[in-house]
Amino acid sequence: MVFFICITLLFLDFTGTLHGWLGWMAKLQFLPAVLALNVGVVVLLVALTLLFGRVYCSVICPLGVFQDVVSWLSGKRKKKKYRFSYTPEKRWLRYGVFVLFVVALIAGVGSFVALLAPYSAYGRMVQNLFAPLYGWANNVLAYAAERAESYAFYETDVWMRSLPTFVVAALTLVLLVVLAWRGGRTYCNSVCPVGTLLGFLSRFAWFRPVIDTEKCTSCRLCERKCKASCIDVASHTVDYSRCVACMDCVDTCRHGAVKYVHAKPAGAVVAAADKDGNRPADAMRRSFLTGAGVAVSMAAMKAQEKKVDGGLAVILDKKAPRRATPIVPPGAQSLRHMAQHCTACQLCVSVCPTGVLRPSTDLKTLMQPESSYERGYCRPECTKCSEVCPAGAILKITPADKSAIQIGHAVWVKENCIPLTDGVECGNCARHCPTEAITMVLSNPADDRSPKIPVVDTERCIGCGACENLCPSRPFSAIYVEGHERHRMI
């Protein structure tokens, strides 16, 4: 519950305060650690699994704990102390989904990967469904505090960043709640690719729940309490590939027949040997294919609308331009790097103070973060997204680095420019450009009284979007940022 609450708060905290203290918990998540090539964390989690079993799924993974919470509430609602029973492993489904996941990862189909990644799925649910409620509650407190002449709270904008991502998050929540309400850890042990991988490793765990056949009375209490449905009392066996080491069976047994001890790595529930003592080849063949899939996936992965000016001046009815190339935040290096490493967990979206980042609606990069400047612009001194990314999709940078990273360049649209359309002076874009990449020049050099228009020095522009956001032209800005496929230093 400590991990679950703290990781949830990471997605709810719009002030960025908690990330300095609890950000390491996001970096402990398995898939982000693999994509970031965080060898130390990956080795730690693998060693933890080989030693104690799938404790990652029952302690560290927020989606796993969320399922446990739903299952617990279901038990209270139904008033049944023992609700589960042993069900055979759906191996075809587990490894089928895992193979598709690995193929999608190698092929760079980030949207499919993001749909199945457990940490990312939970992050999307919190950011899109729970964070608005948290924001509204904060605004109520801010309103009350203001009436009491206190500034302990301040209001924050609550808005939908992406309708497709919201729909995906809502459908994910419904699916998980239904499965957990009816069957406990069904998603964990039948769909989740991280659970399948760690389940393969947990077959060889040093410590594991073991049933003492001499003490067991076959009362089936442990089987009915097992939310992973992996205990078969009839054969006194435990499917260790599905066991998440929650210890409910140990607590439930009234005769001390179930103990968490070191046992010989006998594997999971296996088929009986034939008369000649030969074990069927199917289990061994599947284990080999699974191991090969893991090795291939590791190798492949290693190769691989806030309507304000920064929270001050109100700006209404701004619409996003149609960009030929999307903009990804500084530190992402390139569109390809972002697509290969991002798990679409939305942590960067939740921490962005100016509302610049929002989930992509493009099918190839669905739910991965992109920059858009209708509600704010990317302030040169802010590096929060690079500080919180657990997957290495946005590499950590300093404010000095950010001021020199060109993520795009400004493009002037003559037809929208107010000095030409309305005949009034403006120069807003030039005044607010942090790199002085925009200069106002006479629209007609032969006429000193002709209106001045902006000229962009693309070699100095970093693509922060200050010009686009602060342009008074409506509904489309007279100057907008076109993204770069690959970022460069200027």
Side-chain angles (χ1 to χ4, degrees):
M1 289 306 298
V2 171
F3 264 87
F4 178 69
I5 292 172
C6 290
I7 291 177
T8 301
L9 289 175
L10 281 179
F11 288 95
L12 295 178
D13 178 35
F14 54 83
T15 66
T17 305
L18 294 178
H19 292 275
W21 297 90
L22 305 176
W24 60 273
M25 289 187 172
K27 292 178 171 58
L28 274 183
Q29 303 304 313
F30 189 82
L31 184 60
V34 172
L35 292 175
L37 298 182
N38 195 335
V39 178
V41 172
V42 174
V43 170
L44 172 65
L45 295 178
V46 169
L48 196 66
T49 304
L50 291 175
L51 189 60
F52 299 111
R54 284 176 59 181
V55 292
Y56 169 87
C57 299
S58 58
V59 177
I60 300 175
C61 177
L63 193 69
V65 181
F66 175 77
Q67 293 174 79
D68 289 344
V69 172
V70 173
S71 178
W72 178 78
L73 292 174
S74 174
K76 293 293 184 181
R77 176 68 176 82
K78 296 180 179 180
K79 297 182 179 180
K80 292 182 179 180
K81 192 174 182 181
Y82 307 110
R83 301 182 296 114
F84 307 109
S85 61
Y86 173 75
T87 56
E89 175 190 12
K90 296 179 177 61
R91 186 170 293 189
W92 64 270
L93 178 60
R94 294 180 71 186
Y95 292 114
V97 172
F98 180 76
V99 169
L100 289 176
F101 181 81
V102 173
V103 170
L105 204 56
I106 296 173
V109 186
S111 55
F112 183 79
V113 172
L115 283 174
L116 295 178
Y119 165 73
S120 301
Y122 182 74
R124 282 192 300 275
M125 290 192 303
V126 175
Q127 169 60 28
N128 289 275
L129 305 177
F130 304 148
L133 302 178
Y134 184 84
W136 284 324
N138 168 83
N139 290 346
V140 171
L141 291 175
Y143 178 82
E146 184 180 354
R147 295 300 176 273
E149 297 184 353
S150 170
Y151 296 95
F153 300 92
Y154 63 90
E155 290 190 7
T156 181
D157 282 347
V158 179
W159 54 289
M160 184 185 296
R161 289 170 170 81
S162 169
L163 179 59
T165 303
F166 178 86
V167 172
V168 169
L171 292 176
T172 302
L173 176 65
V174 171
L175 174 65
L176 288 171
V177 168
V178 170
L179 291 177
W181 189 271
R182 299 181 61 183
R185 287 271 184 157
T186 303
Y187 181 86
C188 250
N189 290 326
S190 299
V191 180
C192 178
V194 174
T196 299
L197 173 58
L198 296 182
F200 173 78
L201 297 176
S202 67
R203 296 171 186 263
F204 313 102
W206 183 265
F207 292 100
R208 61 183 71 188
V210 176
I211 301 176
D212 188 339
T213 55
E214 296 182 359
K215 294 182 179 181
C216 181
T217 62
S218 298
C219 66
R220 309 183 81 89
L221 290 182
C222 59
E223 179 179 323
R224 293 168 183 167
K225 187 71 174 179
C226 179
K227 57 199 171 192
S229 301
C230 65
I231 299 178
D232 185 7
V233 173
S235 60
H236 295 99
T237 55
V238 180
D239 184 350
Y240 297 115
S241 72
R242 291 186 289 163
C243 176
V244 294
C246 67
M247 309 302 170
D248 285 350
C249 55
V250 177
D251 292 339
T252 303
C253 185
R254 300 172 180 175
H255 308 285
V258 184
K259 296 181 178 179
Y260 184 67
V261 296
H262 166 57
K264 294 181 180 180
V269 180
V270 296
D274 59 21
K275 295 181 179 180
D276 297 326
N278 298 319
R279 189 168 293 161
D282 181 66
M284 295 298 294
R285 184 163 57 249
R286 290 180 184 271
S287 297
F288 171 78
L289 292 175
T290 304
V294 172
V296 170
S297 64
M298 288 294 187
M301 285 185 284
K302 192 168 183 179
Q304 306 226 13
E305 296 158 319
K306 186 175 180 183
K307 300 179 180 180
V308 296
D309 167 24
L312 299 177
V314 177
I315 300 178
L316 301 175
D317 303 321
K318 178 81 76 171
K319 292 185 178 180
R322 188 179 298 275
R323 308 181 205 273
T325 305
I327 309 169
V328 292
Q333 295 189 328
S334 65
L335 299 182
R336 181 180 181 184
H337 181 270
M338 172 64 78
Q340 287 180 334
H341 291 80
C342 180
T343 63
C345 72
Q346 313 287 293
L347 190 56
C348 58
V349 175
S350 68
V351 79
C352 181
T354 54
V356 166
L357 295 182
R358 68 278 310 271
S360 169
T361 57
D362 187 278
L363 287 178
K364 294 182 180 179
T365 57
L366 187 65
M367 300 180 294
Q368 294 184 357
E370 289 182 357
S371 298
S372 198
Y373 303 125
E374 300 84 70
R375 290 177 167 264
Y377 62 91
C378 194
R379 294 184 174 273
E381 71 275 9
C382 176
T383 58
K384 288 186 179 294
C385 59
S386 75
E387 295 168 0
V388 303
C389 179
I394 308 175
L395 303 180
K396 190 171 183 179
I397 58 175
T398 65
D401 295 331
K402 185 175 180 180
S403 297
I405 297 176
Q406 188 181 62
I407 62 176
H409 66 276
V411 178
W412 179 57
V413 182
K414 178 180 179 181
E415 293 76 13
N416 297 341
C417 196
I418 285 180
L420 298 181
T421 59
D422 296 353
V424 296
E425 292 186 1
C426 182
N428 229 24
C429 53
R431 281 194 298 272
H432 293 91
C433 180
T435 60
E436 299 182 351
I438 302 176
T439 305
M440 300 300 294
V441 301
L442 295 172
S443 56
N444 183 1
D447 184 0
D448 293 339
R449 293 184 295 179
S450 63
K452 291 185 176 181
I453 57 175
V455 173
V456 180
D457 183 350
T458 56
E459 295 300 316
R460 300 185 65 174
C461 178
I462 60 174
C464 68
C467 56
E468 177 181 332
N469 174 250
L470 300 176
C471 177
S473 175
R474 294 295 183 275
F476 295 101
S477 296
I479 191 166
Y480 74 96
V481 178
E482 189 62 62
H484 287 178
E485 288 192 10
R486 186 174 184 82
H487 299 171
R488 68 183 185 91
M489 301 295 289
I490 61 172

